[in-house]
């Protein structure tokens, strides 16, 4: 069958530069294919990025295919010739990429989208397993799915496609960089400060220092804008503005804390701006003597009406709000232009008396230097001006409503900073070049010939304002806040500009606060705020957030002392700026490969300087407000950290954790091990950690905050199934450890046998110096009924651990560790409960429907209720039976599985330190006693000795333990370890090993040799005789343990070492069985015979 390129080609017009053809495997088309081979020459694709007029992409065509492509582009749909005419239900297909038949798709942006992306459907590329394994021969494809498969998309994308189609029908309103960012930022930066405070600032600081004040403010905002531009261009930006940028960079702890106070600050800012507007209106009413009640109440009334009107505009939708912003910007620009025009219009006598003389070099020179009065200084003036430079986040705060936030936010914000800075400097210079600092306003204060003058610029221009030095004057830069109105060509336009500045800032804050708050609530960082996450309409408007912002704004308009709260609000904004700068620095410092901002004009150290500068400015503006801001941030940070929201945004904090951990691990490799720093680092053979919780608990008790703990699982069986199961369970089991607060790692391997898997883990687990030095495993309780290969593997693992110089701890409890049967029953019960609840819900729904249908419905309802009662009773019976089953068979197992989680009462830990293994046998119980759950237990030491040296042996052991600084309650010297056990005990031991004995001495040599070959694992008579004394000792030890330690909370016992090639597996298992039988929980410990204790300092 021919496998060459098919003649009919469907070219994707999306950003896919390579050709992917759908090939029909039908033999009937061979002739057509052969014809194409003869007619079409070899095709080589060529890509060019030089032609911008073709969307920066040039697509090459086969001869005769350009017409087909043009047809597709014009009609927007596939022609019949674009796909092979075959029945997709019965034919097989495959993909051809780069001239080869393969399931591999070409690179495409849709593979990298998040699920539910609003900018396009997420496509699912073939998994590595699908490409790596053999291709299935019978692939059934539904009609219409060919295009998706050709692009690598699975059929699960239908739902996403449907949602996108619905989205396209409703139509989101998205803004470009001008209307969405530039206009908003300019309006928010140009506040009332421009019209009523800038002249006073330049009067105090002079032109020189005034420009420095403006420049220093702009440095802060520009550095923040640069950092924000870098963050914005490092990936797709969603709604949430400053909160989104900080939370996705630094994580939910920083983002959650700043998001809440930033939203609150914007809500209170609405009240501040509205009150500024209301005060201006009340001043006009006062001048015309038309106050409604009094000044305070009129401000409240006008403020309330204004907020209601602004709320109406906001709730009407972003379209209306954007139109209102454009109108306000036009008014504001006209007002500013009106001021500049007024500076060149010839002044009159009245304006001269108020200090306005048009542009004069003498006035410029006089006003260039500072003249601080009334206790003001550079930093106090700076603190007053700086809020006028804020507002750069106005565009970023509606990032969810921008067409392309990545380019719009940097472009619009930086241009807004540039334009507004030029305007501020120009207004300051113009005002200080035209108006003197002090003027009386009296037209008669002119210079008369022969009159002495103080030498001021006003004297040179014919006016004597010298009395302003001794008594207060009402006019001039220092005294009159309405200088811009006086200078302007038409005064009321400046008032309109003040209205525009206040209303536009209030409107921007009224929109920003709910948008940021909605994004915060959607992320569910604060559990109780989900109510405000819901959006309405085609733009997902946060109506509930608008109402909340309205309530907060109204409260501060009616009852708050805004002069007190204003510094805190300014500091809240500055805290946001500081964290944006720090986010950029932190992301760069973490060196994550994912940090690839398209905006290149930033530097990590400049961003850090910007963050520190913002923190400094916070204290310059108001030190106590800065402290309050830091305290609130710290409280919210601790709260979010404690709650640990289940989010993963790939923050730079995570990246830095990795870098720090890697650096620490590498640094640790250069440090030589020392006995004083020894700690148990355990490889625990728990399997799935939830299946043997007691084994994990006891291991975790002496490794928590002290050493490494790795929970290991070995998958055996068909490799394909094992690897699939292992990969699917890794994250789930590690998550279980984290959820249950177990400071441990989970590791799994797939191997041909259990022993091979453990051998791999023993060799490869750990990192650098953080490698396991102790193997922890449960006692194989079913060794007598298990296949010989399992017993061989179990004992072989102990041999392997000793070969790799690891210590070994074997733990035994009376009920065993494996609770998989209980977990299975619990899972079944949960399923039954879910089915019961679903059934009840269905019956209730049916009852509701039937209740609507008269008398017939009544009888049907009664019948249904009967059935439901019967079904419920049946389910209840099942549940009761299952519960009884669990209670009868597994209650003791469940209790045993949690025994190490409970606090141990007063009792003892009995240590049978029979052989010196380097000290691990004594170190493990010591570590247990410093844990909270075991601190009430005392250590009792048991060791062997001679009858005639009991006191001396006690003194020697006490001296040794005191040098090790290990406290103990008692020392017992056991002198009768080596005597024979009683007959009953020995008889039990012999009966236990009887099924595994070879009894070769009772058979002829030929038969014996044959049996040895067939059953090499059996215990020979020669072996039993050679290790008879050792077997006696194990049996005798159990008798002594029963006598002395039956009431202990825990027994720690020296583990006997099986000599390789001499002690058979079953004999060794019999020793372990008889040693630990019918006892409290017991740890059989053997160190690697290297010192783990020292008495040297």
């Amino acid at each position: 069958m021919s496998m060459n390129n098919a003649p009919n080609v469907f070219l994707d017009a999306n950003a896919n530069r390579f050709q992917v053809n759908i090939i029909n495997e039908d033999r009937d088309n061979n002739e057509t294919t052969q014809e194409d081979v003869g007619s079409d020459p070899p095709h080589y694709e060529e890509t060019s990025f030089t032609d911008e007029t073709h969307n920066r992409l040039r697509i090459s065509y086969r001869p005769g295919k350009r017409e087909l492509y043009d047809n597709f582009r014009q009609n927007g749909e596939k022609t019949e010739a674009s796909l092979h005419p075959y029945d997709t239900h019965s034919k097989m297909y495959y993909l051809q990429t780069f001239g080869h038949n393969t399931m591999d798709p070409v690179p495409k942006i849709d593979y990298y989208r998040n699920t539910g992306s609003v900018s396009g459907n997420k496509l699912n590329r073939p998994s590595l397993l699908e490409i790596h394994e053999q291709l299935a021969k019978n692939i059934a494809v539904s009609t219409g799915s060919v295009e998706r498969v050709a692009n690598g998309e699975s059929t699960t994308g239908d739902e996403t496609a449907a949602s996108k189609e619905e989205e396209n029908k409703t139509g989101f309103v998205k803004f470009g960089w001008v209307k969405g960012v530039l206009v908003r930022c300019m309006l928010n930066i140009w506040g009332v400060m421009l019209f009523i405070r800038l002249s006073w600032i330049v009067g105090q600081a002079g032109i020189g220092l005034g420009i420095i004040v403006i420049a220093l403010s702009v440095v802060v905002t520009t550095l923040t804008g640069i950092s924000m531009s870098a963050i914005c261009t490092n990936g797709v930006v969603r709604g949430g503005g400053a909160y989104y940028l900080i939370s996705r960079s630094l994580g939910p702890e920083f983002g959650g804390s700043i998001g809440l106070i930033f939203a609150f600050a914007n809500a209170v800012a609405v009240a501040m701006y509205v009150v500024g507007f209301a005060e201006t209106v009340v001043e006009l009413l006062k001048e015309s003597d038309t106050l409604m009640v009094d000044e305070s109440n009129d401000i409240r009334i006008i403020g309330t009406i204004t907020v209601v009107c602004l709320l109406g505009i906001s709730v009407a939708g972003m379209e209306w709000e954007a139109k209102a912003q454009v109108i306000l910007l036009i008014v504001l620009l006209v007002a500013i232009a009106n001021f500049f025009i007024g500076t060149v219009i010839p002044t009159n006598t009245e304006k001269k008396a108020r200090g306005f003389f048009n542009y004069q070099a003498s006035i410029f020179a006089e006003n260039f230097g500072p003249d601080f009065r009334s206790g003001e200084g550079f930093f106090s003036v700076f603190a007053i001006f700086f809020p006028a430079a804020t507002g750069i986040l106005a565009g970023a705060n509606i990032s969810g409503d921008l067409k392309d936030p990545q380019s719009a936010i940097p472009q619009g914000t930086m241009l807004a900073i540039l334009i507004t800075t030029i305007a501020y400097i120009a207004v300051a210079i113009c005002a200080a070049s035209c108006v003197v600092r002090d003027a009386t306003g009296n037209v008669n204060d002119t210079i008369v010939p022969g009159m002495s003058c103080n030498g001021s610029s006003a004297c040179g221009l014919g006016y004597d304002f010298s009395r302003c030095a001794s008594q207060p004057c009402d006019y001039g830069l220092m005294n009159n806040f309405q200088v811009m109105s006086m200078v302007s060509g038409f005064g009321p336009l400046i008032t309109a500009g003040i209205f525009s500045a206040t209303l536009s800032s209030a409107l921007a804050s009224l929109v920003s606060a709910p948008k940021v708050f909605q994004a915060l609530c959607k992320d569910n960082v604060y559990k109780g705020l989900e109510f405000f996450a819901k959006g309405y309409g085609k733009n997902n408007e946060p109506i509930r957030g608008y109402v909340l912002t309205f309530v907060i704004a109204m409260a501060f308009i009616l009852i708050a002392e805004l002069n007190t709260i204003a510094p805190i609000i300014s500091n809240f904004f500055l805290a946001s700026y500081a964290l944006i700068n720090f986010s950029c620095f932190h992301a760069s410092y973490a060196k994550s490969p994912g940090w690839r901002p398209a905006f290149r004009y930033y530097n990590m150290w400049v961003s850090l300087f910007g963050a520190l500068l913002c923190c400094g400015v916070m204290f310059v503006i108001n030190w106590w407000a800065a402290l309050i801001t830091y305290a609130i941030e710290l409280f919210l940070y601790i709260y979010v950290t404690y709650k640990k929201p289940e989010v993963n945004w790939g923050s730079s904090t995570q990246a830095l954790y990795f870098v720090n951990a890697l650096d620490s691990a590498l640094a640790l490799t250069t440090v030589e091990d020392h006995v004083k720093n020894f700690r148990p680092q355990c490889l625990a053979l728990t399997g799935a950690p939830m299946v043997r919780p007691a084994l994990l608990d006891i291991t975790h008790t002496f490794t928590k905050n002290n050493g490494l703990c790795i929970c290991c699982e070995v998958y055996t069986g068909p490799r394909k199934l094992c690897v699939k199961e292992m990969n699917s369970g890794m994250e789930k089991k590690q998550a279980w450890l984290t959820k249950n607060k177990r400071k441990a790692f989970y590791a799994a391997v797939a191997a041909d046998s259990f022993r091979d898997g453990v051998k791999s883990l023993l060799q490869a687990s750990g990192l650098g110096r953080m490698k396991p030095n102790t193997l922890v495993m449960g006692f194989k309780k079913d060794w007598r009924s298990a296949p010989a290969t399992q017993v061989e593997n179990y004992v072989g693992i102990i041999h392997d651990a000793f070969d790799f110089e690891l210590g070994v701890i074997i733990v035994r409890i009376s009920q065993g560790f494996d609770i998989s049967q209980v977990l299975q029953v619990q899972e079944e019960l949960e399923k039954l409960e879910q089915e019961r609840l679903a059934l009840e819900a269905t019956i209730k729904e049916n009852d509701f429907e039937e209740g609507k249908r008269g008398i017939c419905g009544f009888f049907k309802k009664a019948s249904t209720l009967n059935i439901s009662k019967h079904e419920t009773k049946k389910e209840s019976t099942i549940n009761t039976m299952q519960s009884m089953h669990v209670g009868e068979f597994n209650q003791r197992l469940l209790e045993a599985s949690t025994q190490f989680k409970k606090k141990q009462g007063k009792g003892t830990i009995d240590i049978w330190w029979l052989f010196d293994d380097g000290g691990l046998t004594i170190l493990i119980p010591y570590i247990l006693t410093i844990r909270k759950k075991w601190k009430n237990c005392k250590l009792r030491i048991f060791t062997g000795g001679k009858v005639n040296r009991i006191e001396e042996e006690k003194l020697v052991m006490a001296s040794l333990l005191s040098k090790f600084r290990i406290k103990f309650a008692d020392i017992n010297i056991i002198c009768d370890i080596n005597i024979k056990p009683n007959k009953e005990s020995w008889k039990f031991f012999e009966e236990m090993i009887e099924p595994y004995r070879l009894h070769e001495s009772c058979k002829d040599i030929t038969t014996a040799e044959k049996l040895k070959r067939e059953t090499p694992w059996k215990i020979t008579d020669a072996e039993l005789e050679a290790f008879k004394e050792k077997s006696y000792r194990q049996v005798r030890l159990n008798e002594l343990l029963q006598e002395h330690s039956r009431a202990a909370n825990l027994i720690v016992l020296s583990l006997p070492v099986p000599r390789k090639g001499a002690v058979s597996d079953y004999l060794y298992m019999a020793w372990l069985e008889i040693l630990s039988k019918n006892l409290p929980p017991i740890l059989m410990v053997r160190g690697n015979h290297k010192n783990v204790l020292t008495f040297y300092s």
Side-chain angles (χ1 to χ4, degrees):
M1 177 170 49
S2 174
M3 295 291 185
N4 60 311
N5 290 336
N8 297 316
V9 181
F10 173 72
L11 290 173
D12 187 357
N14 296 331
N16 188 350
R17 294 185 283 123
F18 305 110
Q19 192 164 328
V20 180
N21 301 335
I22 300 170
I23 306 301
N24 186 8
E25 275 194 85
D26 191 354
R27 293 181 180 272
D28 296 338
N29 290 334
N30 280 352
E31 294 179 5
T32 308
T33 308
Q34 292 294 341
E35 289 175 5
D36 289 335
V37 172
S39 59
D40 287 350
H43 171 65
Y44 300 93
E45 291 200 4
E46 186 177 3
T47 304
S48 171
F49 294 92
T50 58
D51 190 356
E52 294 293 334
T53 60
H54 289 83
N55 296 324
R56 298 167 57 196
L57 187 66
R58 180 173 295 155
I59 302 176
S60 58
Y61 309 93
R62 293 171 178 273
K65 298 302 183 289
R66 179 64 186 251
E67 185 180 345
L68 172 64
Y69 176 78
D70 290 340
N71 187 31
F72 167 74
R73 292 282 291 182
Q74 291 170 8
N75 298 331
E77 58 186 13
K78 299 183 292 291
T79 63
E80 290 185 6
S82 63
L83 290 174
H84 283 284
Y86 65 91
D87 181 6
T88 56
H89 284 279
S90 59
K91 304 294 181 182
M92 295 187 298
Y93 74 92
Y94 51 86
L95 305 181
Q96 188 169 76
T97 306
F98 310 128
H100 295 281
N101 303 319
T102 177
M103 287 292 292
D104 262 346
V106 294
K108 194 170 186 179
I109 191 173
D110 297 320
Y111 296 128
Y112 298 91
R113 298 190 191 279
N114 287 335
T115 305
S117 171
V118 296
S119 56
N121 296 340
K122 174 179 172 56
L123 305 185
N124 297 318
R125 71 174 63 82
S127 69
L128 186 61
L129 188 66
E130 291 170 339
I131 295 172
H132 189 218
E133 295 294 333
Q134 292 183 357
L135 184 64
K137 293 299 181 184
N138 297 309
I139 305 176
V141 191
S142 60
T143 306
S145 66
V146 176
E147 178 191 347
R148 289 198 303 273
V149 177
N151 291 304
E153 179 186 0
S154 68
T155 54
T156 56
D158 292 344
E159 186 177 343
T160 310
S163 65
K164 187 180 179 186
E165 185 181 350
E166 182 65 26
E167 173 192 316
N168 291 335
K169 285 180 183 177
T170 57
F172 283 173
V173 177
K174 297 289 186 179
F175 302 111
W177 70 274
V178 175
K179 189 183 288 188
V181 182
L182 180 65
V183 170
R184 291 172 190 281
C185 288
M186 288 172 62
L187 283 169
N188 231 26
I189 295 171
W190 279 331
V192 290
M193 197 71 67
L194 176 67
F195 296 101
I196 62 176
R197 285 290 186 274
L198 189 57
S199 57
W200 176 85
I201 288 168
V202 78
Q204 290 276 356
I207 295 173
L209 284 182
I211 292 175
I212 292 175
V213 166
I214 296 171
L216 184 57
S217 302
V218 172
V219 166
V220 175
T221 55
T222 302
L223 293 180
T224 305
I226 290 172
S227 298
M228 183 170 64
S229 300
I231 298 171
C232 286
T233 57
N234 191 52
V236 176
V237 178
R238 301 296 183 206
Y243 160 73
Y244 184 91
L245 299 178
I246 294 170
S247 63
R248 268 48 176 186
S249 295
L250 293 178
E253 295 83 6
F254 283 104
S257 58
I258 201 65
L260 200 59
I261 65 174
F262 186 72
F264 176 76
N266 273 287
V268 178
V270 174
M272 292 176 56
Y273 294 129
V274 167
V275 166
F277 168 77
E279 285 178 348
T280 307
V281 175
V282 168
E283 284 294 324
L284 295 175
L285 294 176
K286 189 177 177 182
E287 288 177 8
S288 59
D289 198 23
T290 55
L291 289 175
M292 292 176 281
V293 184
D294 55 56
E295 287 189 38
S296 299
N297 285 314
D298 281 11
I299 289 173
R300 291 187 175 100
I301 294 168
I302 295 169
T304 302
I305 296 170
T306 306
V307 172
V308 171
C309 293
L310 293 177
L311 179 67
I313 295 172
S314 301
V315 172
M318 291 296 292
E319 295 172 274
W320 289 97
E321 189 266 349
K323 290 174 183 176
Q325 293 279 25
V326 171
I327 294 171
L328 292 173
L329 178 64
I330 292 171
V331 173
L332 195 58
L333 290 173
V334 170
I336 294 172
N338 176 50
F339 166 76
F340 288 118
I341 292 169
T343 59
V344 296
I345 295 176
T347 185
N348 54 34
T349 305
E350 183 182 356
K351 287 187 177 182
K352 285 182 179 180
R354 294 183 178 184
F356 174 52
F357 295 96
N358 294 114
Y359 292 106
Q360 301 291 336
S362 59
I363 296 176
F364 179 88
E366 184 179 73
N367 289 341
F368 191 83
D371 184 16
F372 294 113
R373 303 178 190 175
S374 305
E376 299 292 348
F378 176 81
F379 287 109
S380 63
V381 170
F382 172 78
I384 291 170
F385 173 77
F386 183 79
T390 61
I392 61 172
L393 296 179
N397 287 338
I398 63 160
S399 52
D401 297 295
L402 300 175
K403 290 178 183 175
D404 184 8
Q406 286 179 277
S407 63
I409 293 175
Q411 195 172 353
T413 304
M414 299 307 292
L415 186 58
I417 292 173
L418 177 62
I419 294 172
T420 53
T421 302
I422 293 172
Y424 273 128
I425 293 175
V427 169
I429 293 174
C430 291
S433 301
C434 298
V435 183
V436 296
R437 280 193 168 102
D438 297 292
T440 59
N442 189 345
V443 294
N444 297 320
D445 287 341
T446 54
I447 298 293
V448 179
M451 181 185 292
S452 63
C453 191
N454 59 5
S456 66
S457 59
C459 289
L461 297 170
Y463 280 81
D464 179 19
F465 299 140
S466 56
R467 64 187 174 96
C468 291
S470 57
Q471 66 183 54
C473 294
D474 295 330
Y475 297 96
L477 293 175
M478 304 289 281
N479 311 303
N480 183 14
F481 289 154
Q482 302 297 328
V483 166
M484 286 192 72
S485 295
M486 177 189 70
V487 172
S488 65
F490 184 61
L493 277 178
I494 299 298
T495 304
I498 295 173
F499 288 171
S500 174
T502 52
L503 292 177
S504 62
S505 297
L507 191 56
S509 297
L510 185 58
V511 170
S512 297
K515 294 280 186 183
V516 173
F517 192 58
Q518 183 187 35
L520 177 68
C521 296
K522 277 184 178 178
D523 289 336
N524 204 19
V525 175
Y526 299 98
K527 298 293 182 183
L529 301 178
E530 301 95 334
F531 175 77
F532 295 98
K534 184 175 176 58
Y536 297 87
K538 58 187 177 182
N539 261 44
N540 198 31
E541 296 290 347
I543 303 298
R544 296 172 180 178
Y546 283 131
V547 174
L548 179 64
T549 304
F550 171 76
V551 171
I552 294 172
M554 283 299 302
F556 279 95
I557 287 171
L558 297 176
I559 64 174
E561 179 58 46
L562 292 180
N563 289 334
T564 304
I565 202 74
I568 299 178
I569 301 307
S570 296
N571 274 290
F572 280 179
F573 287 125
L574 271 169
S576 304
Y577 295 172
L579 279 179
I580 288 174
N581 282 298
F582 184 72
S583 297
C584 183
F585 163 76
H586 200 269
S588 303
Y589 183 74
K591 299 182 179 71
S592 172
W595 174 248
R596 302 184 302 275
F599 185 84
R600 297 294 181 185
Y601 307 104
Y602 76 96
N603 180 274
M604 59 184 287
W605 301 111
V606 172
S607 295
L608 179 61
F609 173 72
L612 296 175
L613 193 61
C614 288
C615 295
V617 171
M618 289 173 70
F619 281 96
V620 168
I621 290 178
N622 193 301
W623 66 268
W624 59 262
L627 291 178
I628 291 175
T629 304
Y630 286 132
I632 294 173
E633 269 194 65
L634 181 62
F635 170 77
L636 292 173
Y637 178 88
I638 293 171
Y639 173 82
V640 177
T641 303
Y642 175 75
K643 289 296 183 181
K644 286 187 174 64
E646 296 179 359
V647 293
N648 182 12
W649 295 322
S651 65
S652 59
T653 307
Q654 294 173 326
L656 197 60
Y657 283 159
F658 179 85
V659 171
N660 291 339
L662 185 61
D663 290 342
S664 299
L666 289 170
L668 197 60
T669 58
T670 64
V671 179
E672 292 294 329
D673 288 334
H674 194 281
V675 64
K676 285 197 296 185
N677 293 323
F678 176 87
R679 57 197 67 221
Q681 306 205 92
C682 297
L683 193 76
L685 301 183
T686 59
M690 64 283 291
V691 171
R692 292 177 179 81
L695 183 61
L696 172 59
D697 289 338
I698 190 64
T699 308
H700 188 253
T701 304
F702 52 79
T703 60
K704 181 183 179 183
N705 299 328
N706 193 49
L708 179 69
C709 179
I710 304 177
C711 300
C712 299
E713 185 171 10
V714 178
Y715 289 86
T716 58
R719 184 175 182 81
K720 183 177 177 181
L721 295 177
C722 287
V723 171
K724 185 177 180 181
E725 185 181 355
M726 180 180 71
N727 291 340
S728 63
M730 293 284 281
E731 290 186 7
K732 176 184 174 185
K733 288 163 186 173
Q734 184 63 56
W736 185 91
L737 290 169
T738 305
K739 182 181 178 182
N740 288 272
K741 298 180 180 178
R742 296 292 177 265
K743 295 186 177 181
F745 299 96
Y746 172 78
V749 293
D752 296 331
S753 69
F754 182 64
R755 182 179 180 182
D756 288 342
V758 175
K759 196 182 294 185
S760 300
L761 290 165
L762 290 171
Q763 295 177 85
S765 295
L767 184 69
R769 297 284 182 192
M770 294 185 294
K771 290 179 71 71
N773 54 31
T774 307
L775 175 68
V776 181
M777 55 198 301
F779 177 71
K780 189 170 180 58
K781 194 177 179 184
D782 64 342
W783 66 273
R784 282 185 277 185
S785 58
T789 52
Q790 289 188 14
V791 177
E792 181 185 358
N793 281 337
Y794 183 84
V795 179
I797 289 168
I798 299 172
H799 286 302
D800 294 335
F802 289 143
D803 286 342
F804 296 128
E805 295 189 341
L806 271 74
V808 175
I809 301 175
I810 298 177
V811 189
R812 183 174 185 179
I813 59 177
S814 58
Q815 298 299 321
F817 292 106
D818 193 344
I819 62 166
S820 55
Q821 182 183 356
V822 179
L823 295 176
Q824 186 177 356
V825 172
Q826 287 179 347
E827 188 177 348
E828 290 174 0
L829 287 174
E830 287 175 4
K831 286 181 181 177
L832 285 171
E833 180 66 15
Q834 290 174 0
E835 290 174 5
R836 185 182 66 79
L837 293 173
L839 180 64
E840 285 183 357
T842 305
I843 290 171
K844 285 179 182 178
E845 187 178 342
N846 292 339
D847 289 347
F848 179 76
E849 294 295 330
E850 294 291 344
K852 298 177 180 178
R853 300 181 186 171
I855 193 71
C856 295
F858 174 78
F859 287 114
K860 285 182 181 177
K861 181 178 178 182
S863 173
T864 308
L865 281 172
N866 234 353
I867 295 169
S868 71
K869 287 178 182 177
H870 174 71
E871 291 291 338
T872 307
K873 185 176 179 182
K874 181 180 176 183
E875 295 291 343
S876 177
T877 305
I878 292 172
N879 289 343
T880 305
M881 288 173 64
Q882 293 286 2
S883 300
M884 287 174 61
H885 177 77
V886 173
E888 185 177 351
F889 296 104
N890 297 317
Q891 190 60 36
R892 285 184 299 171
L893 183 58
L894 278 173
E895 290 176 0
S897 70
T898 60
Q899 61 180 306
F900 297 125
K901 289 182 181 177
K902 301 172 184 174
K903 187 171 182 178
Q904 306 294 318
K906 288 186 177 180
T908 63
I909 297 176
D910 288 359
I911 306 168
W912 289 71
W913 195 12
L914 305 177
F915 309 106
D916 194 331
D917 60 351
L920 187 65
T921 307
I922 200 78
L923 180 63
I924 294 295
Y926 165 74
I927 293 173
L928 288 177
T929 58
I930 63 176
R931 303 299 186 191
K932 189 183 295 184
K933 292 174 184 174
W934 293 86
K935 67 179 182 180
N936 293 328
C937 294
K938 306 296 183 183
L939 298 183
R940 292 199 305 170
I941 313 298
F942 294 83
T943 188
K946 297 179 181 178
V947 178
N948 56 352
R949 287 178 53 85
I950 291 179
E951 293 303 320
E952 290 86 343
E953 298 282 359
K954 275 189 178 182
L955 288 173
V956 170
M957 180 58 70
S959 173
L960 179 62
L961 292 174
S962 63
K963 286 185 177 181
F964 288 147
R965 288 93 60 203
I966 293 176
K967 294 180 181 180
F968 56 90
D970 192 15
I971 295 176
N972 294 278
I973 306 298
I974 307 299
C975 305
D976 52 351
I977 292 177
N978 290 323
I979 68 172
K980 286 185 179 181
N982 61 50
K983 291 181 180 179
E984 289 80 9
S985 301
W986 182 249
K987 184 180 179 182
F988 175 82
F989 178 76
E990 287 186 320
E991 289 175 352
M992 180 172 59
I993 64 173
E994 181 61 32
Y996 315 107
R997 291 187 61 183
L998 191 63
H999 290 294
E1000 77 280 6
S1001 58
C1002 302
K1003 301 175 178 64
D1004 60 79
I1005 297 175
T1006 306
T1007 307
E1009 290 297 328
K1010 183 181 178 183
L1011 287 173
K1012 282 183 182 179
R1013 287 194 301 272
E1014 292 175 352
T1015 55
W1017 45 269
K1018 284 200 171 184
I1019 305 169
T1020 64
D1021 293 340
E1023 178 192 358
L1024 193 60
E1025 185 62 31
F1027 293 102
K1028 193 167 188 177
E1029 292 298 324
K1030 204 165 187 178
S1031 299
Y1032 280 158
R1033 188 191 305 152
Q1034 315 310 326
V1035 179
R1036 177 59 184 156
L1037 273 173
N1038 183 259
E1039 292 177 351
L1040 294 170
L1041 287 163
Q1042 299 283 351
E1043 178 184 346
H1044 295 282
S1045 300
R1046 189 65 186 267
N1049 293 53
L1050 182 71
I1051 299 171
V1052 181
L1053 172 69
S1054 292
L1055 175 72
V1057 177
R1059 193 172 291 279
K1060 283 199 296 184
V1063 179
S1064 63
D1065 300 334
Y1066 276 92
L1067 180 59
Y1068 185 68
M1069 290 305 299
W1071 288 352
L1072 298 184
E1073 175 73 35
I1074 199 66
L1075 260 179
S1076 56
K1077 188 172 180 62
N1078 298 328
L1079 290 171
I1082 182 169
L1083 273 62
M1084 293 177 276
V1085 181
R1086 176 67 69 156
N1088 63 358
H1089 286 242
K1090 293 180 181 178
N1091 289 347
V1092 300
L1093 296 172
T1094 182
F1095 49 81
Y1096 295 107
S1097 60

